[in-house]
Amino acid sequence: MPGGAVRSVGSIGSAGSTKGTNEQRAGLLSGVGAYGLWGIVPLFWPLLKPAGAIEILAHRMVWSLGVVGIALLVLRRWSWVGALVRRPRKLGLITVAAAVITVNWGLYIWAVNNGHVVEASLGYFINPLVTIAMGVLLLGERLRPAQWVAVATGVAAVLVLAIGYGRPPWISLTLAFSFATYGLVKKKVAMGGLESLAAETAVLFLPALGYLLWLGARGESTFGSEGPGHAALLAATGVVTATPLVLFGAAAIRVPLSTLGLLQYLAPVFQFVLGILYFHEEMPPERWAGFALVWLALTLLTWDALRTARRTRAEAARTLAARTAAQPSPSVPPSAGDPAPPSATTPAP
């Protein structure tokens, strides 16, 4: 019956809309969870003392491969391994990514465990600005005026912070440049999050395991000498590494990139707040001034990105509407013996 058909179509549309809303909500929660965990991870690394930063890093590499390997085994996602082995160039890029993320992870752990949480958070605040600058210098990308202003403001912020620290903020700059380089290489590799982490930690596994065995042979390993609780915490570095990555992957396929771009600031914000309120690191006026300039630059960058995305969507909608209006609709031929209706046309696909 016509009425029943209308109600059926309406219920299907409502169900589809509800499903889409639930998917977006799940994606948003996953994104908040991922960046939230990355933001509070400074609370975890001090628990691993008296292990040094390099020992913690080596355990992170070894146990991460185990956790990611189990996840891939459960998901049955192994087909990419053979293809990767047969592509030396891609394998080389994975090796570069592994080396760069080693620097990033190692320095971050050292910074947190040596009282530089605020400076480490600054690295991830300025990372988007460094990424844009590398796009211009390495890829020949052209910047919009607002992006130029944001980058210039970021440079001014680094100069102010250098004066405030009495030295360049080398921890922040190294973290920002290493992570931006990592992102650039990952873009060229074009692999999924779990697959990429598995490949990178596989490259790092033997050196990391060799270092841990060497420490044990010298009697300097804390894995077996500080009790089972300490050993369990070191093993948990694999879960701490993989969990936010899985959540990020779930968010990336469910929410727009513009939303992910905004969520990425949660991590350094949480780290900054922890550095001040929990770790009680100093924030003299010149340091506040430097951070204020960084936040101004990020505000400009975010505003420009949102405005550009909105304009792009509007132009795409206008183009689609124009093409739809210009496309002739095919006529429906009348049945034999029936009079043709005044305007029997089918809707455009």
Side-chain angles (χ1 to χ4, degrees):
M1 295 174 61
V6 171
R7 283 193 297 271
S8 177
V9 171
S11 63
I12 292 172
S14 177
S17 176
T18 302
K19 182 179 179 181
T21 302
N22 290 338
E23 284 286 304
Q24 285 201 348
R25 185 181 295 115
L28 185 62
L29 291 175
S30 297
V32 171
Y35 285 108
L37 288 173
W38 280 323
I40 64 174
V41 77
L43 296 174
F44 178 71
W45 304 125
L47 300 178
L48 305 181
K49 293 179 178 180
I54 299 179
E55 182 181 0
I56 295 171
L57 175 63
H59 275 286
R60 187 178 189 181
M61 295 170 181
V62 169
W63 294 107
S64 293
L65 180 60
V67 172
V68 175
I70 292 172
L72 291 173
L73 187 63
V74 171
L75 296 172
R76 298 181 180 179
R77 283 159 53 178
W78 291 105
S79 59
W80 56 273
V81 177
L84 178 61
V85 172
R86 291 190 296 269
R87 299 180 65 180
R89 181 178 179 276
K90 198 168 187 178
L91 199 56
L93 289 173
I94 286 288
T95 304
V96 172
V100 173
I101 202 61
T102 298
V103 173
N104 186 273
W105 283 0
L107 180 58
Y108 184 79
I109 294 168
W110 180 89
V112 170
N113 285 355
N114 286 273
H116 299 284
V117 177
V118 170
E119 191 173 352
S121 74
L122 176 64
Y124 295 103
F125 274 125
I126 66 176
N127 176 66
L129 301 171
V130 172
T131 300
I132 289 176
M134 290 180 68
V136 173
L137 296 175
L138 301 179
L139 303 179
E141 296 178 355
R142 300 183 64 180
L143 298 187
R144 296 181 293 273
Q147 291 176 312
W148 277 115
V149 174
V151 172
T153 305
V155 172
V158 171
L159 293 176
V160 170
L161 288 164
I163 295 172
Y165 280 107
R167 57 172 175 79
W170 66 269
I171 294 175
S172 307
L173 293 173
T174 304
L175 288 174
F177 275 94
S178 61
F179 202 72
T181 303
Y182 178 69
L184 180 64
V185 175
K186 292 264 283 188
K187 183 177 180 180
K188 293 182 177 295
V189 170
M191 289 177 64
L194 279 177
E195 292 86 348
S196 180
L197 182 61
E200 292 157 18
T201 50
V203 169
L204 301 169
F205 179 79
L206 288 179
L209 182 62
Y211 176 77
L212 292 176
L213 293 175
W214 177 76
L215 274 185
R218 290 171 56 91
E220 298 177 3
S221 172
T222 64
F223 185 74
S225 62
E226 296 295 325
H230 180 74
L233 285 173
L234 286 172
T237 54
V239 177
V240 169
T241 300
T243 301
L245 184 68
V246 172
L247 290 173
F248 175 79
I253 62 176
R254 290 177 172 87
V255 299
L257 286 177
S258 57
T259 303
L260 280 180
L262 293 175
L263 289 177
Q264 73 173 329
Y265 297 128
L266 284 177
V269 166
F270 285 178
Q271 294 165 12
F272 177 77
V273 171
L274 283 174
I276 295 176
L277 300 182
Y278 183 81
F279 293 100
H280 305 291
E281 294 184 14
E282 294 183 1
M283 280 293 292
E286 59 272 18
R287 202 168 296 175
W288 278 111
F291 269 85
L293 285 172
V294 170
W295 295 331
L296 174 61
L298 293 178
T299 301
L300 286 171
L301 204 60
T302 303
W303 169 78
D304 178 70
L306 292 175
R307 184 187 63 169
T308 303
R310 196 161 47 241
R311 184 182 300 166
T312 301
R313 285 195 299 268
E315 290 177 355
R318 284 195 296 268
T319 302
L320 180 60
R323 288 178 179 175
T324 302
Q327 181 179 359
S329 300
S331 299
V332 177
S335 301
D338 292 337
S343 178
T345 57
T346 55

